[in-house]
Amino acid sequence: MSDRPAPPARSEPREIVELRRLKEEQPDLGAAIDLQIELLQLQRRVQSRVTLPSIRLETEYLNSQLAKGPILQFEHLPIDWSDVRFLLRATASAMRTHDAIEDSDLRRIDALGRDASRLPVVLRSWYDAARPGGSAIDPDGVGLESVLQQAMRPILTRCADAILARTDLAAWRHHICPLCGGEPDLAVITPAAERLLICGRCAAKWVFDQISCPYCLNDDRSKITSLASRDGRYRLSCCESCMRYIKAYDARRVGRHVMPPVDGVATLPLDAAAIQRGYQ
Ligand SMILES: [Zn+2]
Ligand SMILES: [Zn+2]
């Protein structure tokens, strides 16, 4: 037996470190946290080899595209189909293990991953469905949106990083993502008291009105209900008009930056409270 100290743990990404800390604080969230850690590890395996999007990465060009609407089109995505098939299967199987999807969903993803002609069609329909003027998602993708979203995350976040670093978002005040056209699923309130929306697909952040509902654009204060977590770290804005809600991380209260994979899990109790009140 050697009494040498154990080697230091390989340095983990901050999001995973935060998730482990959260699990100690809130053991009730353990299952959701384990799943999130597994998904992050999976996404990191692929992320490092995702190439740049096939779009001219010049500020003037990107700004001119933004003036017409969300910049990133499906054909710009640097898709390696064997990576996508791997991500789909591994994501679905992790989600199944943690009871986040049904057995039948796992089988559908398996079938989709094996169908080289259907997969691009379904993926494109999922991507375009959220965009302005987009049509409905292909029936083969219906109900699998959460798997597709997680699986495409390494590609979409990579594109967002590359493009948004070279784009001026100052004029973008819309409720949808300037990059992929997706909906926000989280917000952050900055120390300057601005509200930034965060895309649920590519994690792009952009400034949005502090009050308005980002789903139906209702801006009547009397029709927005706010709830806060006990520690004041998170807030909910619930819209009485469309009955949807958005969660926000209040960065004025805490020292760290917003981390969507962490804050999304940390706010699951707030989701439950909102759903109990009839919001969706
Ligand atoms: Zn986006
Ligand atoms: Zn609304």
Side-chain angles (χ1 to χ4, degrees):
M1 286 282 286
S2 145
D3 55 2
R4 267 188 315 174
R10 226 183 74 215
S11 85
E12 284 195 309
R14 283 202 51 198
E15 288 170 339
I16 294 184
V17 173
E18 277 296 316
L19 282 166
R20 294 197 196 287
R21 203 186 49 72
L22 184 63
K23 190 175 170 181
E24 274 168 35
E25 260 175 34
Q26 298 190 54
D28 292 357
L29 296 176
I33 292 173
D34 290 344
L35 170 59
Q36 191 59 64
I37 290 176
E38 223 172 291
L39 292 175
L40 282 172
Q41 285 169 335
L42 204 61
Q43 293 166 7
R44 269 172 63 88
R45 278 175 61 184
V46 173
Q47 198 150 33
S48 55
R49 57 172 186 264
V50 176
T51 56
L52 289 170
S54 12
I55 184 172
R56 274 165 57 198
L57 290 172
E58 293 156 18
T59 298
E60 203 176 321
Y61 176 73
L62 294 171
N63 287 343
S64 72
Q65 294 307 104
L66 184 65
K68 298 181 215 158
I71 298 175
L72 189 70
Q73 313 281 336
F74 186 77
E75 43 276 5
H76 296 142
L77 300 181
I79 291 180
D80 174 315
W81 290 104
S82 64
D83 276 348
V84 167
R85 282 192 295 271
F86 161 75
L87 279 165
L88 277 173
R89 279 202 206 103
T91 301
S93 116
M95 290 173 85
R96 179 64 203 122
T97 304
H98 295 276
D99 271 330
I101 59 170
E102 304 290 331
D103 250 336
S104 54
D105 299 328
L106 181 58
R107 285 196 298 271
R108 289 177 64 202
I109 287 286
D110 262 339
L112 191 58
R114 278 194 300 267
D115 192 333
S117 63
R118 290 294 293 148
L119 179 57
V121 175
V122 173
L123 217 47
R124 175 190 284 267
S125 85
W126 164 78
Y127 185 77
D128 286 344
R131 295 173 63 84
S135 47
I137 181 170
D138 187 286
D140 283 349
V142 173
L144 301 177
E145 293 88 344
S146 58
V147 183
L148 300 179
Q149 179 166 327
Q150 287 293 343
M152 290 301 284
R153 207 171 163 84
I155 297 170
L156 292 177
T157 52
R158 171 85 169 118
C159 292
D161 289 346
I163 291 175
L164 296 180
R166 299 166 172 89
T167 309
D168 179 7
L169 292 185
W172 188 266
R173 285 290 188 275
H174 302 284
H175 63 297
I176 54 164
C177 174
L179 188 88
C180 77
E183 284 189 336
D185 72 348
L186 187 69
V188 54
I189 301 165
T190 68
E194 269 185 327
R195 177 166 69 157
L196 307 186
L197 300 181
I198 305 173
C199 178
R201 307 202 296 184
C202 74
K205 298 189 195 74
W206 68 99
V207 178
F208 188 66
D209 183 83
Q210 281 177 303
I211 301 292
S212 303
C213 167
Y215 303 114
C216 74
L217 304 181
N218 160 39
D219 62 356
D220 179 350
R221 249 172 219 270
S222 68
K223 288 189 179 155
I224 308 268
T225 305
S226 283
L227 302 171
S229 60
R230 208 170 300 163
D231 58 8
R233 210 181 254 216
Y234 299 103
R235 318 187 138 265
L236 277 187
S237 296
C238 307
C239 174
E240 309 300 333
S241 227
C242 68
M243 295 306 284
R244 294 185 69 181
Y245 66 94
I246 186 150
K247 305 183 280 189
Y249 173 73
D250 193 339
R252 294 171 299 184
R253 305 265 179 160
V254 257
R256 70 160 166 87
H257 291 296
V258 65
M259 295 180 178
V262 180
D263 296 309
V265 175
T267 46
L268 287 174
L270 278 178
D271 286 311
I275 290 164
Q276 208 173 27
R277 287 170 163 83
Y279 299 102
Q280 26 166 295

